[in-house]
Amino acid sequence: MDGLMADVLKLDNSLGSKLDVNTARARLNGIELKALMAAFASEEDEIRLGGGLKAAEAQHAKGRLTVRERLSLLLDEGTEILELGLWAAYEMYGEYGGAPGAGVVTGLGRVCGRLCMIVANDATVKAGAFFPMTAKKVLRAQTIALENRIPTLYLVDSSGVFLPLQEDVFPDTDDFGRVFRNNAVMSSLGIPQITAIMGMCVAGGAYLPVMTDTVLMTEGSGLFLAGPSLVQAAIGQKTDAEELGGAAMHAEISGTVDFKEPNDHLCIARLRSLVGKIGQRKTGETQDSRRGQEPPDANDTVFNALPFDAERDAPRFPAEDLYSLLNPAPGASNVYDMHEVIARIVDRSEFDEYKAEFGRTVLCGYARIGGRAVGIVANQKTNQNQTVAMGPAAGMNRIEFGGVIYTESAQKAARFIMDCNQNLIPLIFLHDVNGFMVGKDAEWSGIIRAGAKMVSAVSTSVVPKITVIIGGSFGAGHYAMCGKAYDPRFLFAWPTARYAVMSGASAANTLAEVRAKQMERGGKVLSDAEKKALHDEIEGTYDAQADPRYGAARLWIDAIIDPAKTREILIAALEACALNPDVPHFNPGVLQT
């Protein structure tokens, strides 16, 4: 009887798959996407070279390792850094010779088994100087560490602010000085920070290591507010760098550094030893503890997680199938079932879909990724049949376009997001969104009100949010699906991502017509060929700005990822989110009803 009852109660929430990877279109998608990924990989390899081989040789001549060599020693054997912001400053600062990776490496890595945020200057790029995007990249890394309470390690080798651009690096709230403010705030929250000075650490940059908990310094490095030449110019005092701010002076006289090490290798060995001794809080400060009540038991968890076995809990379908799903050509009209993506990133391909028959252009549901419970909000890219609830077409059946958010979809998503906050379930947003529906039917049905409700729910959400841009992310749809302005803990993008107010084709149609009318009012009559050239120029500009590399260069995107690695990257990101279980009280405020 018990066995029969168990069979009766066994839920089948496994997603199936109708994706045929052997069709001509699917094979062509796979070929074209792999070619695009190969081009991305080649550019990424070049970025990782930093200032190039000659600059690396100069670093070695000083007895120092390059940033990538340091990271290979720092990280646990067999592990890699989940690099964030690799494309920062891409195709920027050309007049200064460029700044590959903005001259700093940031990302999540394992050190003695602990997940750490790593911020490491690349001294082969303009001596590790801070460009405007360097400061923003470090600040983004600190923000992630702050939100998730991640121990943070700094490998400092920097000449300070890049002086020709000092006005864009120095004074504002998202500039260089904010780094030191974040150091202090992170320390006040109990987030461990350790700095290894492994080269020059000059001017304002000298504050960063000293604002952290523990400071290591290698012999031959320098730590001073002003270098010898500036000291002589300012006060007429002659001194060499070692006497002014060398490791021996700071270890023996000023007492500024905690550990003096002879070289990079031993400094990193010491750093690893220190990280291996850091304790770990199982829970953070809670609302109850702030009210003077006892916090929960230390063994309690806030975000639900089950024991995870990589083989047993693997999705039922190969991740590599995702290569065949989208045509990566800019402007391509991709129609596909988002369930196919979900089935390849969630544990055992099991998905409890929420309101499956309502508001079908947005999928919502519960799943596990790496054993951790998540709520998923995703755009459905196939067209859907829906009975109209209100407006001039109420009661009629209509076709809803995939990738468009309709009134019912927005209402469903808003309610689901609030449910996840109520139940302390982190949210994953999967973007391929054209925007909200327009037109009389949409307006009569209250699309603005429903859209405002969804945006409000995303804005006030307090659980961790992670965003993955798979295809398009256009207009207000980007906002409603937790774009960068809505504080996702992490924002990733596939190479197929497109990121703009509207698509290049839509923008070109609108702007070309406006521009042509302006010219005609000025007395110039455009030929059909001139109108087409104008259209193509505008579309090309928009398409270039919608490319994920353009967004990643400006840190709108944390990382451009291999679609087949989406699951493992989400597992790492969710682990990072779980380090901060302190979730504020959820107060959705006034909602449009």
Side-chain angles (χ1 to χ4, degrees):
M1 185 67 179
D2 289 344
L4 178 61
M5 183 62 72
D7 289 339
V8 170
L9 293 177
K10 187 174 182 181
L11 172 69
D12 183 7
N13 58 354
S14 296
L15 292 171
S17 177
K18 296 181 180 178
L19 177 60
D20 184 354
V21 298
N22 294 313
T23 66
R25 181 68 257 176
R27 286 199 300 269
L28 187 58
N29 286 348
I31 291 168
E32 291 179 350
L33 180 52
K34 287 175 183 176
L36 178 62
M37 288 167 56
F40 273 57
S42 177
E43 289 187 277
E44 288 177 345
D45 287 343
E46 189 169 345
I47 292 170
R48 290 188 181 99
L49 290 175
L53 296 178
K54 188 174 180 180
E57 290 171 1
Q59 184 78 346
H60 290 154
K62 297 172 186 173
R64 299 174 189 160
L65 300 175
T66 65
V67 65
R68 301 285 170 180
E69 291 167 340
R70 289 168 176 168
L71 290 175
S72 69
L73 292 174
L74 176 64
L75 297 173
D76 290 352
E77 190 173 353
T79 68
E80 296 181 354
I81 188 171
L82 172 51
E83 192 160 351
L84 307 172
L86 173 64
W87 292 86
Y90 174 72
E91 293 189 341
M92 297 172 70
Y93 311 124
E95 64 273 35
Y96 303 106
V104 64
V105 179
T106 62
L108 296 174
R110 290 200 180 279
V111 180
C112 295
R114 289 295 298 271
L115 190 67
C116 296
M117 175 62 74
I118 299 167
V119 178
N121 297 116
D122 185 349
T124 70
V125 179
K126 303 293 188 298
F130 270 66
F131 285 76
M133 291 310 301
T134 315
K136 287 174 174 55
K137 183 170 174 177
V138 173
L139 290 171
R140 176 59 182 157
Q142 288 184 319
T143 298
I144 292 171
L146 268 165
E147 290 177 336
N148 300 292
R149 306 295 192 265
I150 307 172
T152 302
L153 312 178
Y154 303 90
L155 307 185
V156 178
D157 192 349
S158 171
S159 59
V161 169
F162 186 66
L163 292 179
L165 295 174
Q166 65 86 25
E167 66 180 283
D168 298 317
V169 183
F170 170 66
D172 213 342
T173 53
D174 59 348
D175 286 343
F176 194 38
R178 188 77 170 185
V179 172
F180 317 136
R181 175 265 184 194
N182 285 351
N183 289 139
V185 171
M186 289 167 73
S187 183
S188 75
L189 292 171
I191 302 169
Q193 297 176 90
I194 305 176
T195 297
I197 300 170
M198 310 177 82
M200 289 299 105
C201 194
V202 184
Y207 284 110
L208 185 151
V210 185
M211 296 287 290
T212 63
D213 306 334
T214 307
V215 183
L216 296 75
M217 188 172 181
T218 58
E219 294 176 6
S221 295
L223 172 66
F224 25 68
L225 292 181
S229 57
L230 185 56
V231 167
Q232 184 173 357
I235 63 173
Q237 186 179 73
K238 291 185 178 182
T239 180
D240 63 32
E242 185 62 31
E243 183 183 19
L244 180 66
M249 190 283 290
H250 281 301
E252 299 169 19
I253 300 174
S254 77
T256 301
V257 303
D258 304 307
F259 297 90
K260 182 186 75 170
E261 306 298 340
N263 54 45
D264 284 8
H265 292 83
L266 291 175
C267 184
I268 291 172
R270 177 80 70 182
L271 178 56
R272 284 182 54 83
S273 178
L274 295 173
V275 172
K277 297 175 178 65
I278 295 175
Q280 188 163 0
R281 293 179 177 87
K282 290 196 175 180
T283 60
E285 183 188 25
T286 66
Q287 293 292 318
D288 286 340
S289 66
R290 282 201 292 270
R291 296 188 191 105
Q293 301 175 23
E294 285 300 312
D297 185 89
N299 292 319
D300 287 350
T301 58
V302 175
F303 306 123
N304 186 279
L306 293 178
F308 172 65
D309 181 273
E311 187 174 335
R312 179 197 65 203
D313 297 320
R316 297 170 57 206
F317 311 103
E320 289 73 18
D321 290 351
L322 295 173
Y323 295 145
S324 65
L325 199 61
L326 277 73
N327 179 350
S333 179
N334 284 299
V335 177
Y336 61 93
D337 188 346
M338 186 64 82
H339 290 100
E340 301 288 0
V341 177
I342 296 170
R344 288 162 177 81
I345 63 174
V346 302
D347 293 359
R348 299 178 301 280
S349 301
E350 292 176 355
F351 183 59
D352 296 307
E353 189 164 351
Y354 176 86
K355 296 186 187 290
E357 306 303 319
F358 181 75
R360 297 176 187 173
T361 61
V362 173
L363 301 178
C364 299
Y366 302 99
R368 290 186 184 275
I369 298 178
R372 301 182 188 277
V374 296
I376 295 174
V377 180
N379 304 113
Q380 174 59 288
K381 287 294 289 182
T382 58
N383 295 339
Q384 301 292 313
N385 287 311
Q386 183 77 46
T387 300
V388 181
M390 59 188 74
M396 296 177 61
N397 193 278
R398 71 173 175 221
I399 299 294
E400 294 188 341
F401 301 110
V404 176
I405 302 176
Y406 289 76
T407 298
E408 296 84 355
S409 307
Q411 290 172 336
K412 176 175 81 172
R415 171 61 186 271
F416 178 75
I417 291 165
M418 289 191 286
D419 282 358
C420 286
N421 277 270
Q422 188 76 359
N423 296 315
L424 295 175
I425 301 174
L427 284 157
I428 308 288
F429 292 84
L430 304 178
H431 286 219
D432 198 342
V433 59
N434 294 5
F436 286 92
M437 190 57 188
V438 297
K440 186 171 73 173
D441 288 351
E443 298 294 355
W444 282 35
S445 71
I447 186 65
I448 297 175
R449 186 174 71 247
K453 187 186 299 184
M454 183 176 176
V455 170
S456 181
V458 172
S459 302
T460 57
S461 176
V462 294
V463 296
K465 297 171 290 192
I466 301 172
T467 295
V468 182
I469 302 177
I470 289 172
S473 188
F474 298 119
H478 171 75
Y479 303 150
M481 292 293 293
C482 195
K484 183 65 184 290
Y486 293 81
D487 299 323
R489 298 278 185 98
F490 297 92
L491 196 155
F492 303 112
W494 287 11
T496 48
R498 292 291 178 268
Y499 197 179
V501 170
M502 62 179 72
S503 68
S506 298
N509 290 336
T510 303
L511 293 177
E513 185 177 345
V514 171
R515 190 91 57 86
K517 287 181 178 178
Q518 288 174 337
M519 291 180 175
E520 287 169 358
R521 282 197 295 271
K524 179 176 176 59
V525 178
L526 298 178
S527 66
D528 289 345
E530 288 173 323
K531 288 181 179 178
K532 184 179 185 305
L534 182 62
H535 178 281
D536 291 348
E537 177 190 350
I538 295 171
E539 184 173 11
T541 299
Y542 250 76
D543 283 340
Q545 291 178 352
D547 188 290
R549 287 167 287 198
Y550 187 92
R554 289 150 182 81
L555 295 176
W556 304 337
I557 294 166
D558 291 319
I560 301 172
I561 64 174
D562 181 339
K565 294 184 178 179
T566 303
R567 172 175 165 81
E568 63 185 75
I569 287 170
L570 287 176
I571 288 174
L574 286 165
E575 180 186 352
C577 291
L579 294 176
N580 177 18
D582 185 13
V583 179
H585 175 67
F586 177 52
N587 181 8
V590 177
L591 287 175
Q592 289 283 348
T593 57

